[in-house]
Amino acid sequence: MLYNWFEHITFAYPEVFGLFVLIPAMLYWYLNKYDRKQGALKVSSLAVIRKSSSWKSTFRHAPFVIRLLAVCCIIMAMARPQTRNDEELKNGQGIDIILCLDVSGSMLAQDFLPDRLEASKNMAASFVDMRPTDRIGVVIFSGESFTLVPLTTDKTVLKSQIFNINRGLLEDGTAIGDGLGVSVDRLKSVKTKSKVIILLTDGEDQGGRIDPLAGKELAKAYGIRVYTIGVGSEGYAPVPTSDGTRQQKVNIDEKLLRMIANETGGLYFRARDNESLKNIYLEIDKLEKSRIEVTSLKRYTERFFPFAFAAAALLFLEIFLRYTLFKKFP
């Protein structure tokens, strides 16, 4: 327990610990003084001396030991032990971000490790950790679209919901326009100046209630930047089936994704493996910087009082013992 207490202690004047050299000096002085005061007496037997010895002679050095302890406590108090509490206040204007993730069946392709969907979830969760002051929401889409998490600053809830995304939550398909439209709907009424959608998909639009070009125009109208990410390697990728795996051609409508990004002020990225997907999120994080002011507060609590009190008590005890129980007569 004492170790844990000192683990959190800092000292305002650690140079005062140099005064501990006084302890051996005092000890040397005391021993020399004690030896000079000893008298010599020749006796024929030690039996008389043994019978006359008492507890006073046994504890005759106690006052000096108490004085040494008092000096140690005084030095500790003079070093001003303190505990410090650090607090950071973060103020600034964050960004509202919607992560729009494709959860269609093709996202189970294993050209990423362990597959496209799991890799995308892991990178999305890492991106959430990069944005401490932003509000982030999650929209998922396949054949239809759904708001999984509205805009929130609760990173724990966000990451929990992202990791719980599984294939089969929605009707299969790739309705890019629906995903984009629902994402725009989540951002259109917010007052934040910076509004961003990160749309990730591995396929081509297969139709839905909203045309992707109409979704793009909506994003432009509400001043929302859209970053698009095409996920998939070149050529063919293994996709698990009930009786093993089959090779499926990688079809990404890069022209559409690039158009959506360029016309809304965003950028298009192509992720061909886990590492490139990670780098894409890092790049987006650099491009979309929040204005944050961090105020660092340090509060100190003085802890020298116990040492000062102990020193006073020990000095009082030494004086009491020296002039009562251990009083010496000329």
Side-chain angles (χ1 to χ4, degrees):
M1 183 179 293
L2 185 62
Y3 170 78
N4 291 335
W5 187 78
F6 272 102
E7 188 178 11
H8 302 287
I9 288 290
T10 58
F11 294 90
Y13 306 116
E15 61 275 10
V16 173
F17 287 130
L19 294 175
F20 274 114
V21 298
L22 293 174
I23 302 302
M26 291 174 63
L27 187 61
Y28 177 78
W29 169 81
Y30 178 78
L31 291 176
N32 281 345
K33 179 184 176 183
Y34 182 77
D35 287 339
R36 288 197 303 269
K37 287 187 176 182
Q38 300 303 306
L41 178 66
K42 292 183 178 181
V43 295
S44 59
S45 173
L46 295 176
V48 176
I49 297 176
R50 290 196 185 99
K51 289 180 181 178
S52 63
S53 63
S54 66
W55 64 270
K56 286 187 178 183
S57 62
T58 303
F59 295 101
R60 61 188 179 278
H61 302 300
F64 177 72
V65 173
I66 293 173
R67 183 187 300 178
L68 288 180
L69 292 175
V71 171
C72 290
C73 289
I74 290 171
I75 294 172
M76 291 292 291
M78 290 172 63
R80 281 186 64 188
Q82 303 168 328
T83 53
R84 191 179 81 181
N85 295 317
D86 293 345
E87 183 180 352
E88 285 189 348
L89 301 178
K90 295 182 178 180
N91 297 309
Q93 186 172 7
I95 299 172
D96 285 339
I97 302 172
I98 292 292
L99 301 177
C100 184
L101 304 177
D102 188 343
V103 295
S104 58
S106 58
M107 286 291 289
L108 297 180
Q110 296 171 345
D111 49 351
F112 284 63
L113 295 175
D115 56 47
R116 293 174 186 172
L117 182 59
E118 289 301 316
S120 299
K121 287 160 55 176
N122 290 334
M123 290 303 106
S126 297
F127 182 76
V128 168
D129 287 332
M130 299 177 202
R131 316 296 300 191
T133 61
D134 296 331
R135 292 196 305 170
I136 300 177
V138 180
V139 170
I140 57 175
F141 71 93
S142 51
E144 53 188 341
S145 184
F146 175 72
T147 301
L148 186 67
V149 185
L151 288 170
T152 180
T153 56
D154 191 331
K155 308 307 187 210
T156 302
V157 170
L158 269 168
K159 292 168 65 176
S160 174
Q161 291 299 317
I162 288 171
F163 286 127
N164 285 333
I165 295 174
N166 288 304
R167 159 82 172 82
L169 291 174
L170 302 172
E171 179 185 343
D172 202 15
T174 308
I176 295 175
D178 285 5
L180 183 56
V182 171
S183 299
V184 170
D185 187 60
R186 285 295 170 184
L187 290 172
K188 67 180 183 181
S189 60
V190 299
K191 304 300 182 184
T192 310
K193 291 182 179 180
S194 295
K195 296 178 280 189
V196 171
I197 294 171
I198 301 176
L199 189 151
L200 181 148
T201 183
D202 70 340
E204 300 173 307
D205 183 67
Q206 297 176 359
R209 292 181 298 175
I210 302 175
D211 184 87
L213 298 181
K216 175 202 67 175
E217 294 300 322
L218 284 172
K220 288 172 61 178
Y222 290 106
I224 301 170
R225 285 187 301 282
V226 183
Y227 293 92
T228 55
I229 304 174
V231 178
S233 57
E234 302 289 349
Y236 289 82
V239 178
T241 62
S242 57
D243 55 352
T245 60
R246 63 180 175 84
Q247 294 295 318
Q248 179 176 293
K249 194 172 188 308
V250 178
N251 293 313
I252 299 175
D253 193 343
E254 292 191 287
K255 181 180 178 180
L256 172 64
L257 296 178
R258 188 173 284 109
M259 180 191 300
I260 293 172
N262 290 343
E263 294 193 21
T264 59
L267 291 172
Y268 167 69
F269 300 92
R270 176 69 183 269
R272 293 177 172 83
D273 53 35
N274 293 64
E275 188 63 25
S276 61
L277 181 59
K278 176 183 177 181
N279 291 334
I280 287 168
Y281 274 108
L282 290 173
E283 182 66 21
I284 295 173
D285 178 57
K286 292 178 183 177
L287 291 169
E288 294 293 339
K289 283 298 180 185
S290 303
R291 291 182 298 171
I292 307 170
E293 295 178 0
V294 179
T295 303
S296 181
L297 301 177
K298 295 180 181 179
R299 293 188 176 91
Y300 292 92
T301 303
E302 299 292 343
R303 300 296 184 188
F304 69 86
F305 298 107
F307 294 103
F309 178 80
L314 289 169
L315 288 174
F316 176 80
L317 179 61
E318 186 216 353
I319 294 171
F320 174 79
L321 293 176
R322 193 174 295 280
Y323 290 99
T324 55
L325 299 178
F326 295 96
K327 184 175 181 179
K328 296 180 180 179
F329 296 95

